[in-house]
Amino acid sequence: MTEDQIDCVAKMSNKFLGINRRRKTSPNSNLGIFGQNQIKLLPDTNLLSLEIERNSAENNIPNFLFTFLCCAGLVQVSQKRARQCKTWLFVNFLLILGTVDFFVVMVTNHIFVYKTTVTLFLTLVLTLVICFLMRRTRRRMRVLLLKLQYLPPSTEERIFNVLAPFIFFLQVVSATTITIVCDKKISSTMFAYGNELKSQWAQIILIFLKEYSFLFTYQVYPCLIAIVYCTICVRCSNSVRNLTRKIYVCSPEQFGPSEQIQVLHYKTKIDEVLKITQEIFSAPSFCLIVSNSISCYSMLGSYLMDTMMMHQLIQASFIGICSFLYLTGILWISGTLPVELNKLRDTFYEKAYLRCISFGFSSEPNFRREILDKREFVFTGCDVLHYRRSSVLAVVGTLITYTLLVVNIP
């Protein structure tokens, strides 16, 4: 790039920033990328706590998920609100209680030698690891929620807002069904660590509470973390898709340097959200995938190895189907982002190149390399597993193969 081109870019950038300072734009507005409204720059990070509290009514993510993050202590809030909201202590206690209780039941009833039981316990331990990892990044989660308000929400997020409370309802229904159909005397004795309960009501209450605690630790808590992660992925994919659509409908003549700069500015905001999301969910999402994979192994193995009673079949079916849906859902939704980013890159290049060859603006700065030379972004789990749509088939094949191998091990 020549010195004249550099001076031209600097003048256009200063002009863009000058207009941006004088103009006020709604943070969720995606208008004006190619019009007269300019994109508002992000606020100073020193105002993050104030902005989060002020915008908590909108939540920046679906209401139920935001409430879950606050109640579970996974997002940092003001000291006043933290003193009022102590539910995260109860949530953590319930997770630890469910894991420890399952281990004690295994030992006292001498069922810790079974392959499926050990894998279930390993999944519970991974849930505690996910909780610890998310608690460590609650400050970054606060920053991420603030950044999300600059990306427009998508209609798909409404599905997650309905799905999250439905998971709680499904858990209660499952625990109630298992309590009704199981042999209450045998199950209550097992849950009471070998001690027989005489009262039938005591048996019913004990079975329901133990099943509820187990399902919350094993399924509900990891599922809600997965829904939060998928919501953020959907928001980012939708923003990239909208940006691609705006470039596509813009004519080559209108797609000048100022419009290209606006695109790059807005993509920088998306990249910042993606970077923080990767920092927060890299390890937890990997644990989620491993946990759900193990859960699918154990449930499929139980079905192939043993003749299960009715309540065991109901529990195994509920856990197995949900785990498989969470596993494939995480990979599919997070794997949508690289597809949308590739479409954005191709559309930007084609539109800028068509402007160049059609109108011969050779003196204009070339921004095509700015977006082409940028490395492709893909969500990863601890830099071990890359989340792409093609990974779904690989996971399903691995699931079937390793389940059959483990089942055949004497």
Side-chain angles (χ1 to χ4, degrees):
M1 186 179 294
T2 64
E3 294 182 358
D4 293 336
Q5 291 176 331
I6 295 175
D7 293 337
C8 181
V9 174
K11 290 179 181 178
M12 287 186 293
S13 299
N14 292 333
K15 180 180 179 181
F16 170 76
L17 294 175
I19 295 175
N20 193 30
R21 294 189 189 100
R22 297 192 299 268
R23 193 177 300 273
K24 295 182 179 180
T25 307
S26 174
N28 272 334
S29 177
N30 215 9
L31 298 175
I33 295 181
F34 306 114
Q36 296 181 1
N37 294 331
Q38 302 295 335
I39 299 172
K40 182 179 178 182
L41 294 178
L42 291 175
D44 195 298
T45 54
N46 294 329
L47 301 177
L48 291 181
S49 180
L50 178 61
E51 289 289 337
I52 282 293
E53 292 300 318
R54 190 175 64 185
N55 293 323
S56 60
E58 293 78 14
N59 294 335
N60 302 329
I61 59 173
N63 298 337
F64 192 90
L65 297 180
F66 183 81
T67 303
F68 163 72
L69 291 175
C70 292
C71 293
L74 303 182
V75 58
Q76 191 178 51
V77 294
S78 65
Q79 295 181 356
K80 179 180 179 180
R81 186 165 183 174
R83 288 193 296 267
Q84 296 174 351
C85 186
K86 293 292 186 180
T87 53
W88 67 271
L89 295 173
F90 174 75
V91 173
N92 290 355
F93 172 77
L94 192 60
L95 294 176
I96 297 174
L97 178 64
T99 305
V100 174
D101 177 73
F102 186 84
F103 178 77
V104 176
V105 170
M106 285 173 54
V107 174
T108 55
N109 292 277
H110 305 287
I111 58 176
F112 58 90
V113 294
Y114 295 116
K115 303 171 187 176
T116 56
T117 309
V118 174
T119 55
L120 288 176
F121 177 70
L122 180 58
T123 304
L124 295 176
V125 173
L126 286 175
T127 301
L128 294 180
V129 174
I130 293 172
C131 178
F132 172 74
L133 293 173
M134 293 297 297
R135 282 281 299 171
R136 287 183 56 191
T137 58
R138 61 187 183 275
R139 184 185 296 271
R140 298 292 289 166
M141 179 64 73
R142 182 189 67 178
V143 177
L144 177 60
L145 291 183
L146 177 61
K147 305 282 186 190
L148 278 177
Q149 68 179 318
Y150 295 93
L151 303 183
S154 61
T155 55
E156 291 86 351
E157 294 179 27
R158 300 175 184 175
I159 300 176
F160 295 126
N161 200 30
V162 176
L163 181 61
F166 177 74
I167 295 297
F168 276 97
F169 173 76
L170 192 62
Q171 173 199 14
V172 175
V173 172
S174 178
T176 303
T177 304
I178 294 172
T179 303
I180 293 174
V181 302
C182 72
D183 189 324
K184 297 175 181 56
K185 182 178 180 180
I186 297 176
S187 298
S188 61
T189 302
M190 182 183 66
F191 286 140
Y193 315 125
N195 301 313
E196 184 177 352
L197 300 179
K198 302 299 183 181
S199 173
Q200 186 176 9
W201 280 109
Q203 295 174 358
I204 293 175
I205 294 174
L206 178 64
I207 295 173
F208 177 80
L209 291 178
K210 289 297 183 73
E211 288 291 343
Y212 184 90
S213 175
F214 170 75
L215 291 176
F216 178 83
T217 307
Y218 193 85
Q219 284 285 300
V220 177
Y221 185 88
C223 172
L224 293 177
I225 298 295
I227 291 178
V228 172
Y229 180 60
C230 291
T231 300
I232 299 172
C233 293
V234 167
R235 176 78 64 88
C236 295
S237 298
N238 180 70
S239 300
V240 176
R241 190 181 304 113
N242 289 338
L243 187 58
T244 304
R245 188 180 300 115
K246 289 179 181 294
I247 298 175
Y248 181 79
V249 300
C250 181
S251 65
E253 185 178 3
Q254 295 173 332
F255 195 60
S258 60
E259 284 74 17
Q260 296 177 28
I261 291 176
Q262 291 181 52
V263 171
L264 296 177
H265 269 283
Y266 191 76
K267 187 177 182 299
T268 301
K269 298 179 186 295
I270 300 176
D271 292 340
E272 191 172 3
V273 173
L274 295 177
K275 180 181 178 181
I276 300 176
T277 304
Q278 174 64 20
E279 293 174 358
I280 296 175
F281 287 96
S282 177
S285 63
F286 182 74
C287 292
L288 281 171
I289 291 177
V290 173
S291 174
N292 286 302
S293 299
I294 294 175
S295 180
C296 292
Y297 297 154
S298 59
M299 293 302 103
L300 185 58
S302 299
Y303 180 79
L304 295 176
M305 292 172 59
D306 303 320
T307 301
M308 295 184 291
M309 293 182 288
M310 179 58 67
H311 74 279
Q312 293 176 328
L313 183 61
I314 293 174
Q315 186 182 58
S317 300
F318 171 74
I319 294 176
I321 294 174
C322 291
S323 298
F324 181 77
L325 292 178
Y326 304 155
L327 176 62
T328 55
I330 292 174
L331 293 174
W332 184 265
I333 294 175
S334 59
T336 304
L337 186 66
V339 177
E340 297 297 337
L341 288 174
N342 286 333
K343 291 180 180 179
L344 173 63
R345 182 176 60 179
D346 294 341
T347 305
F348 185 96
Y349 176 82
E350 291 174 1
K351 193 68 65 173
Y353 182 72
L354 187 60
R355 173 183 172 83
C356 180
I357 63 174
S358 299
F359 301 97
F361 294 130
S362 58
S363 60
E364 288 184 352
N366 183 6
F367 295 107
R368 296 193 298 271
R369 306 308 308 178
E370 297 292 334
I371 196 167
L372 289 177
D373 292 343
K374 192 173 183 63
R375 189 180 64 177
E376 181 187 25
F377 181 89
V378 180
F379 282 118
T380 63
C382 297
D383 292 327
V384 175
L385 179 64
H386 290 73
Y387 303 157
R388 297 180 182 274
R389 288 182 173 180
S390 58
S391 303
V392 175
L393 293 178
V395 169
V396 172
T398 304
L399 172 65
I400 298 175
T401 302
Y402 279 93
T403 300
L404 295 177
L405 288 177
V406 173
V407 168
N408 293 328
I409 295 177

